[in-house]
Amino acid sequence: MSNTEALTVDERPALRRLVPLSVQHVLAMIAAPVSTVFLTGQVLGLAPGRTTSLLSATLMLCGAGALLQSLSLGRIGARLPFVMLPGGAASALFLQIARDHGPATACGSALLAAGLLLAVTPLYARIVRFFPPLVLGTTVLLIGIGMVQVASQLITGQGAVGRAAPSAVVLAGLTIGCTLVCFAALRGAWRQSAVLLGMAAGTVLAAVTGLGHFGAASVGSPALPQPLPFGAPRFDLMAALPLLIFALASLAEATGQTVMNSEAAGRTPDPRRDVPRVVRADAVVSLAGAAFGTSLLTTSSENIGIGQLTGVRSRFVTAGAGVLLVAAGLLPPVPRMLAAIPAPVVGGSSLMVYAMIAVMGVTMLHRADLGDRSHAMVAAVALAVGLLPIVTPGLYAGFPGWVRTVLGSGVVAGTLTGVLLHAGVRAAHGGRSATPRRPWHAARASR
């Protein structure tokens, strides 16, 4: 599409153009909700029917979020061409809480985190300065490393310690290989769907070679979204601490996402006006998501590349993608078929997704100018504190419960250490920022 044909952010394309353009956005982001739900179902040992219901709910919520961000409702939503996804980092923390304290507590933690986001939105400018790229990069890197460990259990099997059937390892490796081939050979929206296509190829190989075991696709009544799938939410502030800290850190992410999308859409960035609107929409959809058993849902930049490639900036295109996602969530055959994919296939895809989160954390740390010794020391100590409970899970077993909750979570321990050390370095520099003033491009990572 030439620049003369490009759509402005507020222009409504004709239906014959709207539909294919919206499909492009769906293809670019669909792998994230699918892989996240599969990982949740496998890690928590959910029956196929419950996994299918959770996938339906997630697709519908992603669609509702895209509609809310694209069209807005009062001061909720920024009227920018955004889509919404289950955040990779937020989902990782949700799973960690679910494994340690039960899924009902994880849902309660998501509710608390979403409520906190709504409460602190008026204080946005004061809070975001505590999470520069130096701190946020450390957090994202720790989340990625921790989730690679979780994703590996889909290959080894729950309860297995570093041992896996050779067939499972081969199938996961083939899935990763197919994903890399798709990424290298394809372009545009298809390239952005490489993870989903890799999962499809891995599933076909599992069926042809017999390397993987297929779950039984649920039959019977439609697997529509089920409210409170894990029972009434349980509220535990200490258990929720990882998600609460991430919710505050996500304000920095939302800043980067909003400025990048504003620039891509040809609108002058106005973070003070638009970021609170983006965050409110995230919080409202996440409140609904927690009631349906999902973690925080977050606005994503997955679609920005498509807008730049095609020249299509219209927010009505992403609104159309939202409608398609809601429709997909209401079509029972789609989630049912997807829920039967073998665990090693999901594990191979998840390894790539979460390892990429770790790489993005490294990229964010690079923006923090680690050539400065004080910056490097902050990152080093925060990473050491955060990695200790990951590489030595029983390190704090003899400590009181609140200590185990705070220090036993690598993300919480590393992030708090980074925030405190960064504040100390900032004070030592006379109140000047400990990191370069390039905040708007700091964080497209953990989404």
Side-chain angles (χ1 to χ4, degrees):
M1 180 179 294
S2 68
N3 291 333
T4 58
E5 298 175 290
L7 296 170
T8 64
V9 67
D10 294 317
E11 185 178 350
R12 300 190 186 193
L15 186 62
R16 66 179 182 276
R17 295 184 65 196
L18 177 64
V19 172
L21 292 173
S22 297
V23 169
Q24 282 188 124
H25 285 280
V26 172
L27 288 173
M29 55 77 65
I30 193 66
V34 171
S35 59
T36 297
V37 171
F38 288 172
L39 184 62
T40 301
Q42 295 284 354
V43 170
L44 299 184
L46 301 182
R50 297 184 72 182
T51 302
T52 302
S53 177
L54 186 61
L55 180 56
S56 294
T58 302
L59 292 175
M60 289 185 64
L61 288 164
C62 288
L67 285 165
L68 189 57
Q69 292 287 21
S70 300
L71 304 180
S72 84
L73 182 62
R75 298 178 67 188
I76 303 175
R79 294 196 174 191
L80 285 168
F82 271 128
V83 294
M84 192 172 287
L85 301 173
S91 298
L93 298 176
F94 180 89
L95 274 179
Q96 175 187 321
I97 297 170
R99 289 191 306 156
D100 295 343
H101 304 279
T105 302
C107 290
S109 299
L111 284 171
L112 290 173
L116 178 64
L117 270 179
L118 282 177
V120 303
T121 298
L123 305 175
Y124 156 73
R126 296 183 180 181
I127 294 174
V128 72
R129 64 190 177 92
F130 290 105
F131 297 93
L134 181 63
V135 175
L136 198 58
T138 302
T139 300
V140 172
L141 178 56
L142 289 170
I143 289 171
I145 293 172
M147 281 312 295
V148 165
Q149 184 183 49
V150 173
S152 68
Q153 294 178 5
L154 297 178
I155 302 172
T156 62
Q158 297 298 309
V161 182
R163 303 178 72 92
S167 59
V169 176
V170 170
L171 182 55
L174 288 172
T175 301
I176 293 173
C178 291
T179 303
L180 292 174
V181 169
C182 291
F183 184 82
L186 301 176
R187 295 291 181 270
W190 290 106
R191 187 179 195 182
Q192 292 181 295
S193 302
V195 173
L196 187 65
L197 295 173
M199 290 178 66
T203 303
V204 171
L205 288 172
V208 172
T209 63
L211 288 173
H213 170 72
F214 285 82
S218 58
V219 295
S221 59
L224 296 177
Q226 177 186 350
L228 304 180
F230 305 116
R234 297 176 185 171
F235 299 100
D236 183 333
L237 279 175
M238 293 305 294
L241 194 57
L243 267 180
L244 294 176
I245 291 176
F246 174 78
L248 295 178
S250 71
L251 294 174
E253 267 196 284
T255 303
Q257 303 280 19
T258 303
V259 171
M260 282 191 296
N261 205 356
S262 296
E263 292 175 345
R267 179 184 291 180
T268 302
D270 189 346
R272 290 184 179 273
R273 178 197 66 196
D274 292 336
V275 173
R277 294 179 178 182
V278 169
V279 172
R280 288 189 196 103
D282 286 354
V284 168
V285 177
S286 293
L287 285 172
F292 285 94
T294 75
S295 182
L296 300 181
L297 284 95
T298 53
T299 296
S300 171
S301 61
E302 296 280 341
N303 60 310
I304 293 177
I306 295 179
Q308 293 174 325
L309 178 69
T310 63
V312 178
R313 303 171 175 179
S314 172
R315 58 192 174 92
F316 294 98
V317 171
T318 49
V323 172
L324 293 175
L325 287 167
V326 171
L330 292 173
L331 292 173
V334 176
R336 282 180 185 169
M337 289 185 294
L338 295 175
I341 294 179
V345 173
V346 182
S349 296
S350 299
L351 282 175
M352 295 194 65
V353 170
Y354 291 114
M356 185 58 70
I357 289 177
V359 171
M360 289 177 175
V362 173
T363 302
M364 294 164 67
L365 282 173
H366 177 69
R367 297 191 184 104
D369 185 20
L370 295 181
D372 186 302
R373 288 182 179 273
S374 61
H375 300 166
M377 187 61 69
V378 170
V381 175
L383 282 174
V385 173
L387 286 172
L388 276 174
I390 295 176
V391 299
T392 313
L395 183 64
Y396 302 108
F399 287 79
W402 69 270
V403 176
R404 293 197 303 269
T405 299
V406 175
L407 297 182
S409 166
V411 175
V412 173
T415 302
L416 287 179
T417 302
V419 168
L420 293 174
L421 291 179
H422 172 259
V425 171
R426 182 184 174 90
H429 283 76
R432 298 191 304 275
S433 175
T435 55
R437 290 187 172 275
R438 292 162 60 190
W440 307 138
H441 306 287
R444 61 180 296 183
S446 59
R447 303 232 159 203

